[in-house]
Each structure stands twice: as C-alpha cells, then as structure tokens.
Amino acid sequence: MSFGDPNNPYGQQQGGQQPGGQQPGYGYPQQAPQGVPQQGYGYPQAPPVQGGYGFPGAPTEMPGGVKAARIMLYVLGGFQVIGAIVMVVAGAWLSDKLAESESYGSSSASSQDVADIGMAVFVVVGILTLGIALWAILTAAKFSSGGNGVRISAIVYGSLVTLFSAISLLTTNVFAIISIALGVLVIVFCARQDGAAWFRRQRQQY
C-alpha cells in the first residue's frame, strides 16, 4: 500500500489521527478540556464585571453624600416635629391668656373670638408643620429601598425648606440659616451623579 508522495503537502499526514478515528479540523478551535471555560472564536472572553442590584456597575453601597442627605432629612423632620408641638402649646397658652383677660372685665365677645381665632391658627400651623415633618422622615426612611421618586421627593422638600427658611430669615429669624444650609445640602447631595445612580439602580427581585 502506498501512502503517497511524502513531499506532497496534501498527502496524508502521519500521526495526525486522534484517538477514535477523528482528525483535528482546520480553521476551527478545538474543544477546551473539561473544567476550562471555552473562549469565543477570535475574541478573548471578557471577565465578568462585579455589579449589584441587577446590572453591572450599579452602586452596591449608599454613597456618603446620600447618607448625609438622609441624616439631614431626619434632623429637619425632628426640628419640625418640635416646632409643631410648640405651635399647639403656644395656641393653648394664648387662649388661656385671652380667657384671663376676659375675666378682668374685657369684652367677653371680642376676647372669646380672638382666643378662638388664635387657637385655630396655631393648631392649623402646627398640623401643617407636623405633616411636613412626616414628609421628611418618611422620605429619609425610603433612601435604602426607594427609587428615583424618593430622590425627587427629597429635592422638592429641600427646595421648599430653603424657600420658607429664606422668607423666615427676612423676619430676623436667625435660626432659619440652619434650615437654609441643610435644605441646600439635601438638594446638592441628591442631585449629584452618585446620588442619581443610587436611586436609579435596578433592584433585585425576590
């Protein structure tokens, strides 16, 4: 039997036959051994990117600025709760004082009307202040699990606090400077790129 011309490049090659009667193909990558990941044809396989919350590159930990904004919301909410209590107590105190003036011979009708109106105004303002305080506290509580709506809620709240604190500052209320500073910082930290990425991250579905 003849094996052809040994100088012929198209002739049968010796030793090229693999076990089982199969020969290696030409132009195709051989199958990788078991336990070794197979690479794509012509391109190296890219290493996996460590991401979080459902897609690569997402922040896995709350940024420092977002944490600071959360604390500021709690602080502002706490101040407003105290302010609401002060409003209600002040209304009750004013009502008692007007009632005492009535007992000293003032016009009973006018004194009672002023007392009722004053009490109502203080109570309404106190309730509104308490509602705004709950807005801040609930928004801060949602920073860990909330989405972009929580971020928008924090920015709107910070804007309103800054606006009304600036108006209060015009009435020589020097303590309004603190609220202005906190409100501006809440807006800045939530509007930054890392803050936007945190609130827009995709959540894992359980």
Side-chain angles (χ1 to χ4, degrees), residues 12 14 16 27 43 45 64-65 67 74 97 104 131 183 188 193 195:
Q12 184 176 5
Q14 297 292 336
Y43 300 95
Q45 185 176 4
K67 292 180 180 179
Y74 279 128
K97 288 298 181 181
Y104 287 107
V188 171
Q193 185 176 1

Side-chain angles (χ1 to χ4, degrees), residues 51-63:
Y53 292 95
F55 68 98
T60 57
E61 184 179 357
M62 186 182 299

Side-chain angles (χ1 to χ4, degrees), residues 26-198:
Y26 295 92
Y28 297 93
Q30 299 185 14
Q31 185 176 4
Q34 186 176 4
V36 179
Q38 187 173 2
Q39 305 293 327
Y41 179 71
Y43 300 95
Q45 185 176 4
V49 180
Q50 181 67 29
Y53 292 95
F55 68 98
T60 57
E61 184 179 357
M62 186 182 299
V66 178
K67 292 180 180 179
R70 186 184 194 183
I71 295 174
M72 293 174 189
L73 287 174
Y74 279 128
V75 171
L76 287 170
F79 283 160
Q80 289 168 346
V81 168
I82 296 174
I85 296 174
V86 170
M87 288 289 180
V88 174
V89 172
W93 177 83
L94 179 61
S95 179
D96 290 340
K97 288 298 181 181
L98 292 175
E100 290 177 1
S101 65
E102 177 184 353
S103 63
Y104 287 107
S106 301
S107 175
S108 60
S110 61
S111 298
Q112 186 63 40
D113 291 341
V114 172
D116 293 340
I117 294 174
M119 182 66 181
V121 169
F122 276 95
V123 169
V124 170
V125 174
I127 292 175
L128 290 177
T129 305
L130 182 60
I132 296 175
L134 292 177
W135 177 12
I137 294 172
L138 293 177
T139 299
K142 288 290 186 178
F143 265 41
S144 297
S145 59
N148 195 48
V150 175
R151 171 175 166 265
I152 295 174
S153 176
I155 293 175
V156 172
Y157 173 84
S159 302
L160 292 177
V161 167
T162 303
L163 175 61
F164 287 109
S165 297
I167 296 174
S168 179
L169 184 62
L170 296 177
T171 63
T172 66
N173 180 14
V174 294
F175 295 102
I177 298 177
I178 301 175
S179 299
I180 292 175
L182 294 178
V184 171
L185 289 175
V186 168
I187 297 172
V188 171
F189 287 141
C190 291
R192 282 169 49 178
Q193 185 176 1
D194 56 350
W198 169 256

